[in-house]
Amino acid sequence: MGHKQQAYLSLGSNMGNRFLTLQNALFSIQEKAGKILAVSAVYENPAVGFDGDDFLNVCIAVETELVPSKLLETILQIERDFGRERSEHDGYQSRTLDIDIILYGNDTVNSDELTVPHPKMVDRNFVLRPLADIAPQYYHPILNKDIRNLLQQCKDRSQLKKTKHKLFKNRTELFSQLQFIAIEGNIGAGKSTLSKMIAADFNAKLVLERFADNAFLPKFYEDQTRYAFPLEMSFLADRYQQFTDDTSQFDLFKNFMISDYDIFKSLIFAKITLQEEEFDLYRKVFNFMYKEVKKPEIYLYLYQNTERLLDNIKKRGREYEQNISPSYLEQINRGYLDFIKGHPNQNSMILDISEFDFVADKKDYNTILKALSDQILLSKF
């Protein structure tokens, strides 16, 4: 492993959703360049040297093992991933994402590609001010003045406004702003698997649906109309008790909670199985319980096409699931979508993962994490 060095980077964006771009860029840097140690406040300022929309700017400290030239290569690739085209002759222009290496330890670098410390940093308010948030006493290796001092002397008087945006060093820090995420989906959609992966990677308390032996189940399979109601009621009672037990005790050593079911699924399944009068009675009881339970801040519904669901169900080989029909799965899916439509103030997201293999393919898993992060950022921050 290489020698670790602390580098300071400046990031700016003035196109598209600037805040989301900056946050996702930080996640990329954390993944590809090194651990982010500190993030400044986010500042807004007019475009300098050309006509364009206002920029959001931020500075970060990164602990990296990459030598300066490799670090430059990495951040240029991240810029390209975010749709940035750098060209030789076009001067200043609007851009989705701009990342500059401002300082690299106490090193100086002078090559065709890179000059460090960044030669223009001393003339730029939008670099010095965020930098002063995270490294006020850092000495410029050539000028021998600290950042605070350079900021006081800076002649750049362009308007710089501190915004309310808060950026997170990494996804773990972002996810721990939440208390509770529910991942739902049809039978065989992959909700338990995904919940387990996220819980393990981001230190969450895992709440899994427990399938207790239900005395009514064998009877239900023999005579469905007769035993549907007691079966659904006993499922509801079990689920309510489990869910309440599991979600009321918060684990102090975990950052948040994630479950592979939401209590509302009881109503979705009951609607398919029960006769109309039975369902009306069931719904009354359900509504009392639903009022009492903890609601997720993010409700993620994993959509898989029916063919893929049947395939997954066959693969996992649970005997009692083997006779499930395509039309039953389609009814369940419709039930979930109606629920999501009928609760517009709930923070729901639907993700079509029919083409994904998030267990085997890290890229697919990352796509899901990005969609989840974006939803949290857009709804909470």
Side-chain angles (χ1 to χ4, degrees), residues 42-158:
V42 182
Y43 294 87
E44 188 165 41
N45 63 288
V48 180
F50 67 100
D51 282 339
D53 293 332
D54 290 358
F55 271 86
L56 285 186
N57 285 297
V58 61
C59 277
I60 63 172
V62 182
E63 185 179 69
T64 186
E65 290 184 358
L66 303 175
V67 296
S69 58
K70 277 273 172 249
L71 181 59
L72 178 65
E73 219 173 278
T74 305
I75 64 177
L76 290 177
Q77 184 52 54
I78 292 173
E79 285 185 344
R80 281 195 295 275
D81 294 342
F82 281 80
R84 167 81 192 273
E85 302 292 333
R86 272 186 189 250
S87 60
E88 292 308 306
H89 49 78
D90 54 9
Y92 296 113
Q93 54 170 335
S94 287
R95 37 192 108 72
T96 341
L97 180 63
D98 193 9
I99 311 176
D100 287 315
I101 302 173
I102 303 299
L103 297 159
Y104 185 93
N106 292 313
D107 298 6
T108 52
V109 181
N110 279 301
S111 69
D112 292 347
E113 293 80 50
L114 184 63
T115 311
V116 176
H118 196 292
K120 299 204 178 93
M121 67 177 279
V122 291
D123 309 320
R124 289 178 172 172
N125 214 347
F126 67 82
V127 172
L128 290 174
R129 184 135 165 235
L131 195 54
D133 283 349
I134 56 174
Q137 288 161 315
Y138 193 100
Y139 269 81
H140 190 294
I142 299 169
L143 303 172
N144 289 323
K145 288 177 178 170
D146 70 15
I147 301 299
R148 247 185 326 208
N149 208 330
L150 292 172
L151 179 60
Q152 279 159 354
Q153 294 175 354
C154 179
K155 293 185 174 52
D156 174 8
R157 288 288 162 253
S158 60

Side-chain angles (χ1 to χ4, degrees), residues 271-285:
K271 189 170 190 194
I272 299 170
T273 350
L274 298 178
Q275 308 294 324
E276 200 176 339
E277 291 83 7
E278 292 177 333
F279 180 68
D280 289 342
L281 174 57
Y282 180 92
R283 190 167 52 195
K284 274 187 190 134
V285 179

Side-chain angles (χ1 to χ4, degrees), residues 190-317:
K191 47 192 180 291
S192 310
T193 310
L194 183 61
S195 302
K196 285 174 189 159
M197 287 167 74
I198 291 175
D201 288 346
F202 300 100
N203 186 39
K205 175 181 172 177
L206 183 60
V207 175
L208 294 176
E209 187 171 7
R210 301 198 288 273
F211 298 95
D213 284 337
N214 191 310
F216 291 105
L217 202 53
K219 294 178 175 158
F220 168 73
Y221 284 126
E222 299 300 302
D223 185 350
Q224 297 202 0
T225 36
R226 184 170 168 200
Y227 286 105
F229 187 70
L231 175 73
E232 292 299 345
M233 286 304 284
S234 66
F235 271 145
L236 178 60
D238 284 352
R239 210 174 259 152
Y240 175 73
Q241 192 181 354
Q242 270 179 31
F243 192 80
T244 315
D245 290 351
D246 287 344
T247 55
S248 61
Q249 298 157 321
F250 196 77
D251 183 332
L252 290 176
F253 299 102
K254 301 290 185 198
N255 295 343
F256 62 102
M257 248 184 316
I258 189 161
S259 73
D260 72 343
Y261 71 111
D262 175 72
I263 199 86
F264 203 91
K265 78 183 300 172
S266 302
L267 197 65
I268 292 166
F269 281 80
K271 189 170 190 194
I272 299 170
T273 350
L274 298 178
Q275 308 294 324
E276 200 176 339
E277 291 83 7
E278 292 177 333
F279 180 68
D280 289 342
L281 174 57
Y282 180 92
R283 190 167 52 195
K284 274 187 190 134
V285 179
F286 174 84
N287 286 341
F288 293 130
M289 293 183 174
Y290 191 60
K291 265 200 205 74
E292 300 302 314
V293 297
K294 195 177 178 67
K295 312 293 188 291
E297 284 149 289
I298 296 268
Y299 180 99
L300 167 58
Y301 181 68
L302 301 179
Y303 173 79
Q304 297 253 32
N305 61 42
T306 308
E307 204 179 333
R308 181 93 188 262
L309 293 170
L310 288 166
D311 198 41
N312 290 351
I313 290 167
K314 202 153 106 195
K315 267 195 205 122
R316 73 178 175 195

